Amino acid sequence: MTEQLFGTNLAAMVTPMNPDGTLSEPGLTSLVTHLLGTGCDGIVVAGTTGESPTLTDAETTHLVQTVATQAAGRARVIAGIGTYDTAATVRRARDAETAGADALLLVTPYYSRPTQPGIIAHCFAVADSTALPVMLYDVPARTGVAMAATTLTELANHPNIRAVKDAKGDLFEAMTVMAESPLAYYCGIDELNLPYLTAGATGLVSVIGNLVADHNAALIQAVRTSDLPTAQAIQRSLISLTAALMGTSQGASTTKAVLAELGIIPHATARLPLLEPPAPQLRQVAQALASWPELAGRTTRPEPRRRRARRTGSVHAPAS
């Protein structure tokens, strides 16, 4: 049932932008076509990799509506709606439901660092506000506070709260919560996809899925069929690409640079405070791509074309 709600092979989609920082409609259409064509059965819109903190409410609603229309039942659309403000998050949840989202991604409130009872109250308020299934997003490195295991098991009592995107990396805690609650786990750390799947995770919410969702699908299938040697071989093949994309906290801008180089999106623009990846990281990405003929074969230069990205980023943010 959880797989039907969220999918298993989810991509944490970047948000394509024009050089002036506005949303790129051609880029969005092309990227969704690519994700569907490489086996994504779930697309996360306006998550961390989608630069959610710099998107306006109107932009987020537009993205959800556009992706939902194009996906048209071929993939679940999960809308990132979490903020540090419960009232604003409730409003965004309702807007996402109206726009056609299939599910919600609810991050722990950030900056204010609420107590665990505060996190529970926040999540219950959002889950009460719509009929959509909710995937919690536990990412303390970005929010400043983690969801305790007891908090997760308490939140599992809400009928709409069905899953967790775990970017905490505490595998023993994850296994414990899976054993003690009905929550489905989705690995949100590409470096640990194989360990989470073998420990019982339902699926992945992947940044590298923007590029190699088909390989993620093969990894999931190998684990499900108990073919550990194949799963290990797939994971080994992904190490260099994963390291290149996730080597800094700016995975969104690095992934955009690769997608633009491959012609999947027209520009690599990200909004400030994200910057274009530095030259050493671009070289690392180029080296990683060289081991992927199906990707590297689409490029015409030895490393991503820097002219497609703005070193200073964009400050454009249309009014909602």
Side-chain angles (χ1 to χ4, degrees):
M1 177 60 71
T2 304
E3 295 178 13
Q4 296 173 8
L5 295 175
F6 303 101
T8 59
N9 184 21
L10 284 61
M13 189 186 79
V14 303
T15 299
M17 296 175 184
N18 296 310
D20 65 356
T22 57
L23 300 184
S24 169
E25 300 296 339
L28 182 59
T29 299
S30 176
L31 179 56
V32 173
T33 297
H34 164 73
L35 294 177
L36 295 173
T38 51
C40 286
D41 60 2
I43 300 175
V44 175
V45 178
T48 301
T49 307
E51 299 175 70
S52 57
T54 67
L55 297 174
T56 67
D57 288 358
E59 287 174 326
T60 299
T61 298
H62 174 73
L63 287 167
V64 171
Q65 186 174 45
T66 301
V67 176
T69 298
Q70 187 174 351
R74 290 179 290 171
R76 312 300 284 175
V77 177
I78 298 91
I81 48 86
T83 73
Y84 44 73
D85 175 6
T86 302
T89 303
V90 166
R91 183 177 65 250
R92 288 166 65 100
R94 291 171 175 163
D95 288 345
E97 183 175 29
T98 301
D102 297 301
L104 305 175
L105 181 67
L106 178 59
V107 72
T108 313
Y110 42 89
Y111 187 77
S112 54
R113 301 184 67 181
T115 62
Q116 295 299 309
I119 292 172
I120 292 170
H122 172 85
C123 294
F124 278 166
V126 177
D128 284 340
S129 69
T130 83
L132 295 180
V134 174
M135 178 185 290
L136 304 172
Y137 184 12
D138 191 9
V139 55
R142 292 187 182 275
T143 64
V145 62
M147 292 182 176
T150 52
T151 295
L152 291 166
T153 54
E154 174 68 18
L155 289 170
N157 291 320
H158 196 290
N160 288 347
I161 297 177
R162 308 295 295 275
V164 181
K165 176 187 175 183
D166 185 353
K168 182 190 297 177
D170 186 336
L171 188 56
F172 182 71
E173 179 185 276
M175 292 188 292
T176 302
V177 175
M178 281 189 273
E180 296 178 353
S181 81
L183 288 173
Y185 262 69
Y186 286 75
C187 181
I189 308 173
D190 277 312
E191 296 92 327
L192 299 179
N193 283 341
L194 178 57
Y196 269 79
L197 288 171
T198 57
T202 297
L204 313 174
V205 180
S206 172
V207 177
I208 67 171
N210 280 279
L211 294 162
V212 289
D214 48 349
H215 293 271
N216 282 347
L219 177 65
I220 294 168
Q221 181 61 23
V223 173
R224 286 189 169 185
T225 57
S226 300
D227 185 355
L228 186 57
T230 295
Q232 291 173 325
I234 294 169
Q235 185 76 347
R236 283 194 296 269
S237 74
L238 293 167
I239 287 175
S240 62
L241 182 62
T242 301
L245 293 182
M246 307 304 295
T248 73
S249 62
Q250 298 195 138
S253 58
T254 307
T255 303
K256 280 186 168 184
V258 179
L259 289 167
E261 173 62 26
L262 298 177
I264 297 169
I265 62 175
H267 307 287
T269 306
R271 287 182 182 166
L272 286 171
L274 295 186
L275 298 173
E276 176 188 357
Q281 190 172 8
L282 290 175
R283 286 193 292 270
Q284 183 184 7
V285 169
Q287 291 169 359
L289 287 175
S291 65
W292 291 85
E294 67 269 41
L295 293 178
R298 299 179 60 182
T299 67
T300 58
R301 295 175 185 260
E303 65 180 54
R305 289 186 286 273
R306 300 169 65 86
R307 62 181 176 82
R308 290 190 174 183
R310 294 164 62 98
R311 172 161 298 282
T312 58
S314 171
V315 297
H316 184 92
S320 55

